[in-house]
């Protein structure tokens, strides 16, 4: 154990020496203190490999040193697992090492105490926390990338299911972030390590193929480097030239995309020409194109139009020596430093700033990432939109004012509209691309000039989600559609509840004014009346539940018995005073009594009807020829008739449910004729049940909606005249 500790301390001295080379003023005392504290807190803990746990934070610190970060970041690298894996608190770290170190450690610490239902939800919440922290201090994400890289380097000791899960997450999220930060070497290593564990067969196959041709490839690289150096020197351009094979994952992706074997992948090699001045990039490009034939469509100018992360370079592919396809990148030494080191190339802490300004173009994506996805409620939706926005294949599109917007490959005019402003996206009806009017789903290409056309009456549509590509557009469209659905549901809920309240002689506005609606809402565990109304509109809450809170059962029963008592009294004393009830049925002398239409006989306007006074459920209306009447108490029977208002309303649309039974022969086409007869009579079929018998006959029962008795009888008469129909009756 002592020997292992000595080895770790020797490694610490080595890394501190590396840091002192780029930052002589490094606070080595703070770093050693952090190591001692971490070593003490992780005492007794080992990694899956059997090594002392402290070996991991030490190697994370080494990666942070490669990225040339400051003393606080190096100390945080040594302490990054103490809060998550030991009894240490963030407050203790702040007291011992300062607020800066404590904030960085907290930023990469998982929300382990959070109550979540799924792994995906936990992943979303932890990543959301990290985004918020890194928007305040970029060192948080660099620290997390260093932690992830070392974990990927030592992944072989993990079980296979964890290897796959962690590798997929790395490929989806952390590798694209490294790309966004412009740290190309870290991005490449994360990609190849993920590739190794996700597709081991393909990885080792490509590795073997590359290894077989190693000697031949190295000879070819030397030949091309010599040609390019001589070409630049002949024209007075001092240049460094480097050659390398592309990383394994990029080779695999090309094989998959083009459905080809390794032997058919020609541009496996990439060369880099590094010059002194910007204008020499274009001079060098002209010389290369003059020497070797360029491949059409393979030239990209990231010097004039840099990537959002600040990356600048000219890219071209040519047919080189031996008719081999090769990729060539041309950039200045400063551009090369930015391309390799990314954020570290112009590290912001030299100026004492922990986060880039809002208008810093190189890091505008970071603020955008935080703002656009903080409203996403669904974990799956959140991770999906973040992955889309981190995806590295991009197109660069200009506004009419000359501003450039970076968008994912395949992005549409609508994505561009949302990139400008949420309201511009909401009101987008079309666009002009390079002066030509195009639809909102038109896909954009690098160099396009896009002008968005809007209409103040336009509203976001759910259909838009089928073609937008950016996470921002998806999140904003979903939020707008949900809000519109909520508003419609609130209106519907108000209408449904109002209808139910009218049966009790009141309405929503009245119970809202007297405070009863709010009380009922809170009793039902809703936060607001709007939330309750929306839930009623969605169909999740039945209106009777809310009404039962406004009018408790005992209160409603007293009210109904009082009304029924008045009714019986009027009958007994023979005091007719007809008035129309709220239902449209004329009842002797009392209004706003609950009226129900008996399901046993389904009366419709025009039927001869009679009323039965129930106990606690108001008035039940039956057809006078209903068989059930014979079994009811005669003293509670009452004469009723159809009101004029009811008759006028129902004639506008069929709202009365009636069952019609049709006896007929079982032959093709007859059912269609019956349905057509209903339709011709203006009767809507809501349900049908068809039964055939052994003697080739059929009994069809239809539940239909009619306006009144005349309409029903007209439909039945038409059906009875159809050839093959024996009998039509009201069931």
């Amino acid at each position: 154990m002592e020997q292992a500790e000595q080895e770790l301390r020797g490694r610490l001295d080595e890394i501190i020496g590396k840091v002192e080379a780029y930052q002589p003023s490094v606070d080595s005392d703070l770093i050693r203190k952090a190591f001692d504290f971490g070593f003490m807190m992780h005492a007794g803990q080992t990694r899956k490999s059997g090594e002392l746990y402290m070996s991991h934070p030490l190697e994370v610190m080494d990666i942070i040193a490669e990225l040339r970060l400051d003393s606080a970041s190096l100390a945080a690298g040594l302490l990054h697992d103490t809060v998550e894996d030991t009894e240490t608190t963030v407050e203790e770290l702040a007291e011992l090492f300062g607020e800066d170190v404590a904030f960085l450690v907290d930023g990469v610490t998982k929300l382990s105490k959070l109550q979540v239902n799924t792994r995906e939800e936990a992943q979303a919440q932890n990543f959301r926390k990290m985004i918020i922290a890194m928007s305040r201090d970029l060192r948080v994400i660099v620290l997390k990338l260093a932690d992830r890289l070392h974990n990927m380097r030592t992944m072989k000791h993990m079980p296979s299911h964890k290897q796959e899960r962690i590798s997929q997450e790395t490929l989806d999220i952390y590798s694209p972030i490294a790309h966004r930060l412009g740290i190309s070497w870290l991005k490449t290593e994360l990609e190849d390590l993920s590739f190794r564990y996700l597709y081991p067969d393909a990885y080792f196959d490509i590795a073997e193929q590359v290894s077989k041709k190693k000697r031949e490839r190295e000879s070819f690289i030397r030949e091309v480097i010599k040609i390019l150096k001589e070409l630049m020197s002949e024209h007075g351009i001092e240049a460094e030239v480097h050659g390398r094979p592309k990383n394994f994952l990029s080779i695999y992706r090309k094989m998959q995309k083009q459905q080809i074997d390794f032997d058919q992948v020609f541009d496996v090699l990439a060369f880099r020409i590094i010059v002194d001045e910007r204008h020499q990039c274009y001079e060098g490009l002209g010389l290369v194109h003059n020497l070797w034939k360029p491949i059409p469509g393979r030239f990209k100018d990231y010097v004039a139009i840099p990537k959002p992360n600040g990356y600048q370079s000219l890219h071209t592919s040519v047919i080189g020596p031996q008719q081999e396809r090769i990729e060539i990148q041309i950039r200045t030494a400063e551009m090369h430093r930015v391309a390799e080191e990314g954020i570290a190339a112009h590290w912001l802490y030299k100026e004492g700033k922990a986060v880039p300004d809002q208008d810093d173009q190189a890091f505008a994506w970071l603020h955008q990432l935080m703002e656009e996805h903080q409203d996403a409620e669904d974990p799956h939706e959140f991770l999906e939109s973040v992955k889309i926005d981190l995806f590295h294949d991009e197109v660069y599109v200009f506004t009419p004012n000359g501003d450039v917007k970076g968008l994912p490959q395949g992005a549409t005019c609508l994505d561009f509209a949302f990139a400008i402003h949420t309201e511009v996206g909401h009101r987008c009806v079309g666009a002009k691309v390079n002066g030509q009017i195009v639809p909102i789903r038109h896909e954009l290409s690098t160099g396009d000039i896009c002008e968005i056309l809007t209409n103040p009456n336009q509203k976001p549509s759910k259909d838009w989600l089928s073609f937008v590509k950016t996470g921002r557009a998806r999140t904003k469209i979903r939020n707008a559609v949900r809000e519109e659905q909520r508003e419609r549901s609130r209106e519907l809920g108000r209408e449904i509840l109002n209808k139910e309240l009218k049966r009790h002689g009141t309405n929503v506005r009245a119970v809202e004014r007297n405070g009863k609606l709010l009380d009922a809402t809170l009793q039902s565990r809703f936060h607001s009346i709007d939330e309750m109304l929306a839930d009623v509109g969605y169909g999740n809450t039945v209106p009777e539940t809310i009404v039962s809170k406004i009018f408790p059962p005992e209160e409603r029963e007293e009210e109904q018995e009082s009304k029924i008592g008045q009714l019986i009294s009027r009958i007994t004393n023979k005091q007719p005073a007809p008035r129309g009830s709220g239902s449209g049925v004329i009842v002797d002398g009392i209004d706003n009594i609950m009226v129900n239409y008996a399901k046993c006989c389904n009366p419709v306007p025009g039927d001869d009807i009679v009323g039965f006074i129930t106990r606690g459920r108001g008035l039940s209306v039956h057809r006078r020829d209903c068989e059930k009447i014979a079994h009811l108490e005669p003293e509670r029977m009452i004469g009723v008739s159809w009101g004029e208002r009811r008759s006028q309303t129902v004639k506008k649309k069929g709202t009365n449910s009636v069952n019609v039974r049709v006896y007929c022969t079982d032959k093709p086409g007859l059912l269609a004729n019956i349905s057509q007869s209903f339709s011709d009579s203006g009767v809507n079929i809501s349900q049908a049940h068809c039964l055939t018998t052994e003697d080739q006959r059929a009994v069809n029962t239809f539940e239909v909606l009619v306006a009144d008795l005349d309409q029903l009888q007209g439909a039945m008469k038409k059906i009875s005249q159809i050839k093959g129909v024996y009998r039509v009756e009201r069931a």
Side-chain angles (χ1 to χ4, degrees):
M1 186 67 74
E2 287 182 10
Q3 184 181 351
E5 182 180 347
Q6 287 176 358
E7 288 175 0
L8 290 178
R9 291 191 179 279
R11 180 77 174 118
L12 176 67
D13 292 338
E14 182 185 328
I15 298 170
I16 290 175
K18 181 193 295 186
V19 176
E20 286 173 339
Y22 72 81
Q23 190 184 346
S25 60
V26 62
D27 189 346
S28 56
D29 290 340
L30 176 72
I31 294 171
R32 292 184 190 281
K33 180 182 175 183
F35 176 86
D36 291 339
F37 183 83
F39 193 86
M40 176 181 69
M41 296 310 298
H42 289 296
Q45 294 180 1
T46 57
R47 304 201 81 211
K48 295 282 185 186
S49 61
E51 298 173 288
L52 291 179
Y53 190 86
M54 199 59 199
S55 63
H56 167 62
L58 197 57
E59 292 308 317
V60 169
M61 175 192 164
D62 182 47
I63 295 168
I64 293 170
E66 288 286 330
L67 295 166
R68 300 170 175 266
L69 267 68
D70 59 356
S71 303
S73 304
L74 295 162
L78 290 168
L79 299 167
H80 76 273
D81 277 336
T82 53
V83 172
E84 191 173 326
D85 294 341
T86 75
E87 297 299 315
T88 310
T89 65
V90 174
E91 290 71 26
E92 284 179 284
L93 292 182
E95 189 177 335
L96 290 168
F97 301 99
E99 295 289 342
D100 211 13
V101 172
F103 174 79
L104 294 176
V105 173
D106 185 45
V108 295
T109 299
K110 293 177 183 174
L111 300 169
S112 54
K113 295 178 183 176
L114 192 70
Q115 293 298 314
V116 292
N117 299 319
T118 63
R119 177 183 294 280
E120 188 177 51
E121 189 176 343
Q123 183 190 31
Q125 296 290 15
N126 285 318
F127 192 64
R128 193 194 302 269
K129 176 191 174 187
M130 190 174 68
I131 286 177
I132 293 169
M134 79 190 214
S135 70
R136 290 174 56 194
D137 193 322
L138 280 168
R139 292 174 295 178
V140 169
I141 191 58
V142 180
L143 183 59
K144 185 63 184 176
L145 286 171
D147 176 39
R148 179 53 62 106
L149 178 59
H150 187 252
N151 281 333
M152 292 298 296
R153 285 174 175 174
T154 55
M155 187 80 83
K156 64 182 178 182
H157 302 289
M158 300 289 282
S160 59
H161 70 278
K162 285 193 175 182
Q163 289 175 346
E164 289 180 14
R165 176 176 58 79
I166 294 170
S167 296
Q168 190 62 60
E169 183 184 72
T170 301
L171 207 54
D172 286 344
I173 293 175
Y174 293 101
S175 168
I177 286 180
H179 169 76
R180 284 284 197 166
L181 294 175
I183 312 171
S184 62
W185 67 268
L186 198 152
K187 171 223 171 202
T188 300
E189 189 172 350
L190 284 175
E191 282 187 345
D192 276 350
L193 287 168
S194 300
F195 178 39
R196 175 181 176 179
Y197 293 109
L198 286 171
Y199 307 102
D201 292 343
Y203 175 88
F204 288 111
D205 182 55
I206 291 174
E208 185 181 354
Q209 298 278 7
V210 170
S211 178
K212 280 181 184 176
K213 298 187 177 182
K214 184 176 180 182
R215 186 174 299 176
E216 179 185 327
R217 189 179 66 250
E218 286 176 348
S219 172
F220 181 77
I221 289 173
R222 284 195 297 271
E223 179 189 349
V224 173
I225 289 175
K226 183 183 177 191
I227 293 171
L228 289 173
K229 275 188 173 180
E230 289 175 354
L231 178 67
M232 297 296 136
S233 181
E234 284 172 12
H235 292 82
I237 299 174
E238 288 292 323
E240 290 180 35
V241 183
H242 305 283
R244 59 175 178 81
K246 289 186 174 181
N247 68 308
F248 291 174
L249 183 60
S250 67
I251 294 171
Y252 176 73
R253 281 174 172 163
K254 178 163 286 192
M255 290 167 62
Q256 292 296 302
K257 185 177 180 180
Q258 299 179 8
Q259 293 294 297
I260 56 176
D261 296 327
F262 179 83
D263 292 336
Q264 296 171 286
V265 180
F266 296 110
D267 48 349
V268 175
L269 300 176
F271 293 85
R272 194 168 290 142
I273 302 172
I274 301 171
V275 296
D276 294 329
E277 303 293 335
R278 177 179 169 134
H279 67 85
Q280 292 176 330
C281 295
Y282 293 98
E283 289 178 31
L285 177 71
L287 294 171
V288 170
H289 281 183
N290 194 45
L291 176 65
W292 293 317
K293 186 177 180 179
I295 299 170
R298 300 285 295 169
F299 169 65
K300 293 176 183 175
D301 186 348
Y302 295 121
V303 173
I305 308 174
K307 289 188 177 184
N309 61 13
Y311 176 89
Q312 288 183 285
S313 188
L314 297 178
H315 289 199
T316 187
S317 290
V318 297
I319 307 296
Q322 304 172 29
Q323 295 300 297
E324 285 276 2
R325 291 185 178 206
I326 56 175
E327 182 182 300
I328 297 176
Q329 300 169 358
I330 309 174
R331 60 179 71 147
T332 66
E334 178 60 23
M335 291 174 191
H336 179 63
R337 196 162 67 88
V338 171
E340 288 299 296
E341 300 176 15
I343 187 175
H346 45 90
W347 196 243
L348 300 161
Y349 299 95
K350 295 172 185 175
E351 302 168 18
K353 291 194 297 179
V355 68
D357 294 331
Q358 290 281 353
D359 58 354
D360 188 327
Q361 288 301 309
F363 302 104
W365 65 272
L366 179 55
H367 298 287
Q368 189 173 315
L369 191 67
M370 181 190 69
E371 291 166 7
E372 289 169 8
H373 305 299
Q374 60 189 0
D375 296 332
E377 298 169 5
D378 180 69
H380 177 78
E381 179 185 314
F382 170 78
L383 285 175
E384 175 202 5
S385 59
V386 166
K387 289 172 189 176
I388 289 169
D389 278 355
L390 288 175
F391 196 71
H392 62 275
D393 288 338
E394 292 175 317
V395 294
Y396 301 92
V397 182
F398 292 93
T399 68
N401 295 330
D403 297 329
V404 65
K405 298 286 182 183
L407 299 166
Q409 193 81 37
T412 65
C413 295
L414 189 58
D415 291 296
F416 185 79
F418 277 103
I420 294 170
H421 195 277
T422 300
E423 279 304 306
V424 176
H426 285 169
R427 308 293 169 233
C428 178
V429 292
K432 282 185 180 179
V433 174
N434 305 324
Q436 299 292 315
I437 294 179
V438 296
I440 58 176
R441 60 171 64 235
H442 175 81
E443 287 191 11
L444 297 165
S445 302
T446 294
D448 281 345
I449 300 172
C450 186
E451 178 186 352
I452 299 300
L453 306 176
T454 61
N455 184 319
N457 298 320
Q458 176 69 298
K459 288 183 178 180
S461 164
K462 194 174 182 179
D463 295 339
W464 290 0
L465 293 170
S466 65
F467 61 83
V468 291
K469 292 293 186 290
T470 61
R472 176 186 177 86
R474 286 181 179 277
T475 300
K476 298 300 181 184
I477 293 166
R478 281 182 178 131
N479 288 346
V481 169
R482 282 179 190 141
E483 184 51 43
E484 189 177 354
Q485 287 173 342
R486 274 194 289 264
E487 183 56 38
R488 282 204 301 267
S489 294
R490 279 194 291 268
E491 290 174 7
L492 181 60
R494 179 177 287 271
E495 187 181 323
I496 293 169
L497 187 60
N498 210 44
K499 189 175 179 181
E500 187 66 25
L501 286 169
K502 278 184 177 178
R503 298 171 65 180
H504 297 271
T506 186
N507 55 48
V508 171
R509 186 174 294 178
V511 292
E512 218 169 349
R513 277 201 304 266
N514 63 27
K516 284 187 176 182
L517 186 60
L518 181 59
D519 291 342
T521 297
L522 298 176
Q523 285 176 48
S524 303
R525 301 182 183 271
F526 291 104
H527 295 100
S528 68
I529 290 174
D530 277 352
E531 184 187 344
M532 178 272 293
L533 291 174
D535 209 56
V536 172
Y538 280 127
N540 298 330
T541 297
V542 292
E544 289 86 351
T545 304
I546 306 301
V547 172
S548 69
K549 302 282 194 304
I550 298 172
F551 303 108
E554 61 276 7
E555 193 177 302
R556 282 185 287 163
E557 204 167 301
E558 285 174 16
E559 177 192 345
Q560 287 300 317
E561 287 298 333
S562 171
K563 288 181 179 180
I564 289 167
Q566 293 176 46
L567 205 53
I568 293 174
S569 174
R570 289 186 188 280
I571 299 166
T572 307
N573 298 324
K574 298 184 178 178
Q575 297 175 349
R579 292 165 59 193
S581 82
S583 67
V585 173
I586 295 178
V587 186
D588 284 336
I590 190 81
D591 198 6
N592 287 328
I593 190 168
M594 268 195 283
V595 174
N596 299 298
Y597 298 97
K599 299 293 182 187
C600 51
C601 56
N602 289 328
V604 298
D607 279 332
D608 192 6
I609 54 176
V610 64
F612 176 75
I613 302 166
T614 66
R615 288 180 170 81
R617 292 182 293 107
L619 185 72
S620 179
V621 178
H622 293 256
R623 279 168 37 205
R624 194 170 287 278
D625 60 356
C626 178
E627 294 177 0
K628 199 170 182 182
I629 288 178
H631 305 287
L632 301 176
E633 302 168 54
E635 65 273 15
R636 300 183 77 87
M637 302 298 292
I638 183 172
V640 293
S641 61
W642 296 104
E644 186 182 342
R645 183 161 60 90
R646 170 74 179 180
S647 300
Q648 289 173 348
T649 302
V650 296
K651 282 179 182 176
K652 294 177 184 176
K653 58 178 181 177
T655 56
N656 303 282
S657 179
V658 181
N659 288 329
V660 176
R661 187 165 293 134
V662 180
Y663 298 87
C664 60
T665 58
D666 180 18
K667 68 174 185 178
L670 189 56
L671 188 59
N673 292 338
I674 295 171
S675 299
Q676 187 61 47
S677 294
F678 275 126
S679 181
D680 292 344
S681 302
V683 174
N684 184 45
I685 300 172
S686 57
Q687 203 172 70
H689 179 71
C690 303
L691 180 68
T692 57
T693 60
E694 291 180 1
D695 56 353
Q696 293 188 325
R697 296 198 175 194
V699 181
N700 306 306
T701 305
F702 300 92
E703 183 182 321
V704 296
L705 297 175
V706 298
D708 54 24
L709 185 61
D710 289 344
Q711 188 182 39
L712 175 63
Q713 289 176 340
M716 291 172 66
K717 185 176 179 181
K718 274 192 176 184
I719 294 168
S720 66
Q721 294 169 351
I722 298 173
K723 188 176 181 181
V725 172
Y726 302 124
R727 188 166 83 250
V728 183
E729 65 183 22
R730 201 163 157 185

